[in-house]
Amino acid sequence: MKHTLSVLVENKPGVLARVAGLFARRGFNINSLAVGITEDPDVSRMTITVDAEEHPIEQVTKQLHKLINVIKITDLDPERTVARELALIKVKSDTKSRAEVMQLAEIFRAQILDVSRKTITIEITGTYEKLDAFEQLLQPHGVVEIVRTGRIAIERGEK
Amino acid sequence: MKGSEAIIESLKAAGVEVVFGLPGGMVIPLYDALYDSDLKHFLVRHEQGAAHMADGYARATGKVGVCIATSGPGATNLVTGIANAYMDSTPMVAITGQARSDLIGTDAFQEADITGITEPIVKHSYLIKNPKDIPRIFKEAFYIASTGRPGPVLIDIPADMQLADIDYKPAGKINLPGYKPTLKGHKKQIISAAKAIAAAEKPVFYAGGGIITAGAEKELLAIAKLMKIPVTTTLMGLGCFPEDNDLSLGMLGMHGTGYANYAVTHSDLLIGVGARFDDRVTGKLATFARHAKKIHIDMDPAEISKNVAIDIPIVGDAKDVLAGILAELKKMKREPKKTAAWTDQVIAWKKKHPLHYKDEKGSIMPQYVIEEINRITKSEAILCTDVGQHQMWSALFYKHIKPRHWVSSGGLGTMGFGFPAAIGAKVGCPDKTVIDVAGDGSFQMNIQELATAVCYNIPVVVCILNNGFLGMVRQWQELFWNKRYSETVIACQPDFAAVAEAYGALGITIDNKKDVGDAIRTAIKSKRPAVLDFRVKQEENVFPMVPAGKSIDEMIGGHKT
């Protein structure tokens, strides 16, 4: 079972190392981790997706809470959450296949960022699943390189 | 004012009177400021000693222990002591020098990323990058170290920060948005706990070091007396409940008493307070207190249901929560005799099967030495230990009646802890008799602190239970590894009494049982640091013992009750 934790932390040096180190030494498995600053420059938000099969998520959040720089942790309810990930994908494509790749990108509402004689670089945002599906469709063409950001998420509604 | 002087001011503002440390290049400015201050500094012979002394000082006094080391190797030498304090939740502030801030990250001379190295073993840490932050950071560090679940906090200070000129202003109000320990227990949960206690027929208290941290001994005793509830303590909890009380079951767990382990196994309500369901206590988790409903009172929410599922969790300060439960219990109408049959049974187990050992003619039995220490000090000494067989005999055969009189490395199990911790305890409590029970193996891990003890005339009495082995490992090898004593025989042993004398301490070797008491009395009366080398029976074992992975009622050397 994957959980998405939204973690508000003080924007101080070493916080990322403390959080990542805690996950490592407690044996919790991080799937992805994205960090950025928030509307308050003193506060950063970490969006952490974690596989909570072996360790109950409660223990993960409680241990995380013990870090002095961690201000607030929310275990986001998938039903009430909007989540996105961004990927940059460089795929092989020559004159023969270019049209097909561009068509796929259009279907997925992805952006073409760069075209060379032998490759196309595409930007795509969406859910983890959408990005996976797109990647699979590109595989037969020969994917050269993929860069993914990891999930960021926000609660729906006014909260 | 210089940064280093601001550090001294900050330490004084935190109420610090003594510090333990050893200087080096990157803390010369701080030591220069110490030179003019009225803080008492104890120069150690190894930084690990400084950390353990600060730890022992903190445990015996309840204050925050402070140690200082220089950068790099000085700082890394503190690591074991910091880890030890972390595992046993001791309030400590460790101050380390660091390479100049413009050199950080360049592999400069004696540079080590000590905040990185200690990250998993501190409650929090700081690297000071602006000298103006010194007062605030010190204030926060002492606050974090001593509140909530206590623990070590490390402050790493580059040399140039110590030298910088600052406009010193005492720190203002603490603002730590991510740190708000819960002190008050949840009212509804307190009522549920009181109801469960009133309804129980076979309740048992499982009391840990958290009781001592919170100073909740009176509340524990009051509930135990009011409701007639037997109390077993963890290793860290020794002294939180007087062992001369009928309701005391002594220690539980791997080397716990038979009656404590049986009581827990047969209980219908287990009330854990300030204890963390450690594997050395629970044995096989699936069978631990299997018939019991479980209440867990702890300061640290992460401890609740970490190892064992809890029915009634209460996060809060043990003193506050127990006082709340006591008040509820007093309001309730209860049947006074509900637990009578149970307490009678437990007390009968205790009387019928007391801790015992076979006294062998011609040998000094290690248990006898502990009993003699107990008799001579009237259970009033601060007893410190290293780790191993001697530690377990001290836990079992000494009568622990007062809190903060037992200083032993629990969670980390650090050989070499006891002696420097004893020095720290004596510095903090100069009017108490302080005894360090050591093994011949563990004493040699910080034997150099004899110089510190002699230099400042800190009269601690070291009682070595010398059996010529790394005894606890040998015991495991005997019982579970076909007596293959791989590297547990300590073949080249120094003459400990002569070593003590060489350092300027009193040294006595004891070969006969009849001399045991006299040696202890002589050492205490001498008012000097003393080392007593008791040549005890070599292959004596610690019993009862629960083999690793077994249920706690499956003891070797215990009695079936």
Side-chain angles (χ1 to χ4, degrees):
Chain A
M1 169 84 178
K2 276 205 185 78
H3 285 261
T4 306
L5 300 180
S6 184
V7 184
L8 284 178
V9 299
E10 287 184 85
N11 189 8
K12 286 194 173 156
V15 178
L16 178 60
R18 284 181 218 267
V19 170
L22 182 130
F23 274 80
R25 74 173 177 275
R26 296 271 174 194
F28 305 143
N29 210 358
I30 297 185
N31 285 104
S32 75
L33 172 64
V35 194
I37 79 162
T38 62
E39 63 284 358
D40 178 349
D42 293 334
V43 174
S44 293
R45 186 184 296 279
M46 296 186 181
T47 310
I48 305 170
T49 56
V50 52
D51 214 329
E53 234 138 73
E54 282 177 34
H55 290 272
I57 195 73
E58 188 185 316
Q59 187 56 212
V60 177
T61 54
K62 281 175 169 178
Q63 291 295 348
L64 210 48
H65 235 307
K66 283 170 72 169
L67 298 177
I68 308 290
N69 297 135
V70 170
I71 302 165
K72 191 174 178 226
I73 303 167
T74 317
D75 183 6
L76 294 173
D77 174 0
E79 305 269 304
R80 303 196 30 81
T81 301
V82 192
R84 286 289 179 275
E85 200 174 313
L86 183 142
L88 301 177
I89 305 175
K90 190 177 286 180
V91 62
K92 280 188 191 158
S93 174
D94 52 22
T95 42
K96 271 187 273 171
S97 66
R98 189 169 293 154
E100 193 187 337
V101 171
M102 289 174 72
Q103 202 180 359
L104 282 174
E106 198 176 327
I107 294 166
F108 276 79
R109 294 194 191 127
Q111 303 278 340
I112 309 291
L113 296 185
D114 183 54
V115 180
S116 73
R117 271 195 313 125
K118 288 180 181 169
T119 63
I120 294 183
T121 300
I122 306 166
E123 171 199 320
I124 179 166
T125 59
T127 61
Y128 183 86
E129 292 77 15
K130 178 183 168 185
L131 267 57
D132 272 4
F134 185 57
E135 186 192 322
Q136 269 180 24
L137 282 170
L138 293 179
Q139 280 301 351
H141 294 277
V143 171
V144 181
E145 200 176 349
I146 296 181
V147 182
R148 288 172 75 151
T149 57
R151 185 184 298 178
I152 57 167
I154 196 163
E155 275 177 291
R156 288 183 190 276
E158 288 162 23
K159 240 172 94 181
Chain B
M1 182 185 290
K2 290 240 180 317
S4 55
E5 292 163 321
I7 295 171
I8 303 290
E9 288 307 314
S10 305
L11 289 173
K12 284 203 232 160
V16 175
E17 289 161 6
V18 297
V19 292
F20 304 92
L22 191 127
M26 294 303 129
V27 281
I28 292 177
L30 175 56
Y31 271 86
D32 191 66
L34 260 175
Y35 199 63
D36 295 326
S37 80
D38 45 13
L39 289 180
K40 181 87 184 121
H41 178 271
F42 290 88
L43 174 66
V44 298
R45 294 302 182 268
H46 185 296
E47 289 88 348
Q48 189 188 342
H52 291 327
M53 283 177 209
D55 190 329
Y57 175 87
R59 290 186 206 218
T61 62
K63 299 175 193 166
V64 179
V66 181
C67 53
I68 304 175
T70 191
S71 64
T76 56
N77 275 349
L78 290 178
V79 168
T80 303
I82 295 171
N84 187 79
Y86 182 72
M87 289 290 272
D88 287 347
S89 308
T90 311
M92 181 195 281
V93 170
I95 303 165
T96 51
Q98 181 55 278
R100 263 187 4 238
S101 48
D102 59 316
L103 291 175
I104 289 179
T106 64
D107 303 317
F109 178 65
Q110 292 194 332
E111 183 193 352
D113 172 17
I114 196 64
T115 49
I117 290 168
T118 55
E119 195 275 316
I121 52 163
V122 292
K123 190 168 169 188
H124 194 54
S125 58
Y126 294 92
L127 167 61
I128 295 185
K129 288 185 165 168
N130 185 336
K132 273 190 234 155
D133 293 336
I134 288 173
R136 173 183 62 80
I137 284 175
F138 271 79
K139 187 167 184 183
E140 287 179 7
F142 278 86
Y143 177 66
I144 291 168
S146 60
T147 52
R149 179 180 182 170
V153 177
L154 180 126
I155 307 175
D156 198 25
I157 314 174
D160 53 325
M161 298 293 130
Q162 302 168 41
L163 287 166
D165 277 315
I166 65 163
D167 183 12
Y168 176 79
K169 272 187 227 113
K173 240 181 137 203
I174 287 172
N175 175 26
L176 293 164
Y179 182 68
K180 302 262 186 304
T182 308
L183 300 177
K184 290 228 166 284
H186 195 279
K187 185 76 182 168
K188 269 191 187 163
Q189 295 296 84
I190 287 176
I191 293 170
S192 314
K195 280 185 183 158
I197 291 170
E201 287 175 13
K202 300 173 172 182
V204 173
F205 264 114
Y206 152 46
I211 301 259
I212 296 167
T213 305
E217 304 86 12
K218 277 192 191 130
E219 288 76 7
L220 174 67
L221 183 65
I223 298 176
K225 273 188 177 167
L226 178 71
M227 304 303 289
K228 298 275 175 297
I229 303 174
V231 180
T232 175
T233 70
T234 66
L235 181 80
M236 290 298 297
L238 291 174
C240 77
F241 190 81
E243 290 185 356
D244 49 8
N245 188 303
D246 264 357
L247 291 166
S248 164
L249 301 177
M251 187 171 75
L252 81 164
M254 180 175 270
H255 289 295
T257 64
Y259 36 91
N261 286 351
Y262 287 119
V264 168
T265 303
H266 295 286
S267 64
D268 66 356
L269 178 72
L270 185 73
I271 314 152
V273 193
R276 59 189 179 90
F277 293 82
D278 177 70
D279 57 281
R280 282 295 189 268
V281 158
T282 62
K284 190 173 164 187
L285 277 173
T287 55
F288 178 71
R290 52 191 174 277
H291 313 296
K293 193 171 190 176
K294 294 172 190 82
I295 299 173
H296 190 186
I297 300 162
D298 207 286
M299 191 74 219
D300 181 355
E303 287 303 337
I304 289 173
S305 294
K306 185 178 81 176
N307 299 334
V308 170
I310 298 301
D311 302 287
I312 306 174
I314 311 178
V315 176
D317 177 74
K319 191 178 175 76
D320 176 80
V321 174
L322 289 181
I325 291 174
L326 181 63
E328 289 301 322
L329 287 170
K330 282 182 177 165
K331 276 193 254 166
M332 282 177 196
K333 280 190 185 159
R334 63 197 170 81
E335 296 169 57
K337 286 196 174 158
K338 201 161 207 171
T339 61
W342 169 244
T343 5
D344 287 351
Q345 184 181 31
V346 171
I347 292 170
W349 283 341
K350 196 174 145 182
K351 294 222 165 98
K352 198 170 164 203
H353 306 295
L355 281 169
H356 67 103
Y357 63 93
K358 216 158 115 200
D359 206 355
E360 287 180 27
K361 274 226 160 78
S363 292
I364 301 177
M365 299 307 287
Q367 300 92 333
Y368 173 75
V369 177
I370 305 297
E371 288 174 338
E372 275 293 272
I373 295 172
N374 186 50
R375 269 190 288 273
I376 291 164
T377 62
K378 302 189 177 69
S379 317
E380 296 268 328
I382 296 179
L383 195 66
C384 308
T385 79
D386 274 312
V387 169
Q389 288 184 312
H390 68 274
Q391 176 188 33
M392 291 301 139
W393 285 316
S394 302
L396 294 170
F397 288 89
Y398 189 88
K399 259 210 181 346
H400 305 273
I401 55 170
K402 283 183 181 173
R404 300 204 178 278
H405 282 62
W406 168 250
V407 176
S408 186
S409 170
L412 195 66
T414 311
M415 286 174 73
F417 168 78
F419 179 44
I423 294 174
K426 183 73 185 174
V427 166
C429 305
D431 300 333
K432 302 259 183 202
T433 301
V434 178
I435 308 263
D436 169 42
V437 180
D440 44 316
S442 54
F443 185 51
Q444 292 186 67
M445 287 209 172
N446 272 315
I447 197 166
Q448 75 289 344
E449 297 310 328
L450 273 169
T452 309
V454 169
C455 189
Y456 297 98
N457 194 26
I458 303 165
V460 299
V461 178
V462 181
C463 297
I464 304 174
L465 303 186
N466 185 347
N467 58 12
F469 281 110
L470 296 168
M472 189 58 98
V473 183
R474 187 210 55 74
Q475 175 169 338
W476 282 57
Q477 288 170 332
E478 177 189 327
L479 297 173
F480 313 116
W481 296 86
N482 285 326
K483 297 196 177 187
R484 287 158 54 84
Y485 294 161
S486 176
E487 305 296 333
T488 46
V489 185
I490 307 181
C492 288
Q493 200 75 287
D495 177 341
F496 285 109
V499 170
E501 294 285 342
Y503 271 107
L506 173 67
I508 307 174
T509 308
I510 303 96
D511 291 304
N512 284 308
K513 184 180 171 184
K514 66 175 174 47
D515 301 328
V516 169
D518 278 348
I520 297 167
R521 275 185 286 267
T522 305
I524 293 172
K525 270 189 209 145
S526 78
K527 307 226 182 272
R528 292 167 57 197
V531 176
L532 307 179
D533 182 11
F534 294 100
R535 304 291 171 86
V536 299
K537 190 196 164 205
Q538 289 213 301
E539 292 184 57
E540 180 62 4
N541 287 334
V542 181
F543 290 126
M545 177 185 193
V546 179
K550 295 274 187 186
S551 303
I552 57 167
D553 57 341
E554 296 177 276
M555 282 166 283
I556 305 174
H559 292 276
K560 280 279 164 204
T561 44

